[in-house]
Amino acid sequence: MKVAINTLLIAAVAATVSAEVWKITSLDKGTRENTCSRQVQACQNNCGGPTLAPMAFCNATTMAWGCGCKNNTPNMEVWNWPVPAADCSGSLNVCKNNCSTKNNTSECFINCTKTHMCNTEDAPVSYTSSSDIAVEPKYVGPAVSYKGDKLGDLNDGNNRDNLSPSSSGTSDPKTASDGSHKSTTDDDSSATRLQLAGTAVFAALAAALSF
């Protein structure tokens, strides 16, 4: 009888607790600025220096980021860039916090770990990359990994019920995954090729579409 009563009490408490909603902009200002600083520095290092990274940017307010090199394609895996990594770890923490709203908290914790394998290709895609520092990111998109696998409930408070890989906003993910742009600020723009580091997002969505 006591066990049954305790179970009912736990369920009642869980039902009254509001789920926390994750958004990377909820990080404190200092953390956002530090993450953005590391993001820009990582891009510049990857490109070979600040003058060779014309698309190295990060908006500490919106956390929109991008990386494009003048002479080469950024070769750092997108899930390891500072902003996407921070987005994953933040979502993981909120996922675990929201386990208090579930009846089986231990199972919930396990699921959070399974769906948030940060800094790996199995991490959930971060929708924080942008084409310009002034363009706000999407933040929330289909729950898929960079490998293209569909993930379970991320439990981070964001509603993804009506989202699917085809609703990513990219009509042709395979074509868009090229991500190349020509610089309009360089004297020899035809010789300057920029490759956005966020192309793995589109690659993941393209793979998910093939399910």
Side-chain angles (χ1 to χ4, degrees), residues 163-186:
L163 296 178
S164 65
S166 60
S167 68
S168 65
T170 303
S171 57
D172 187 351
K174 293 181 180 179
T175 301
S177 65
D178 176 61
S180 60
H181 297 266
K182 300 294 184 180
S183 171
T184 57
T185 59
D186 193 276

Side-chain angles (χ1 to χ4, degrees), residues 3-20:
V3 173
I5 293 175
N6 288 338
T7 301
L8 289 173
L9 287 173
I10 292 173
V13 171
T16 59
V17 177
S18 298
E20 185 178 347

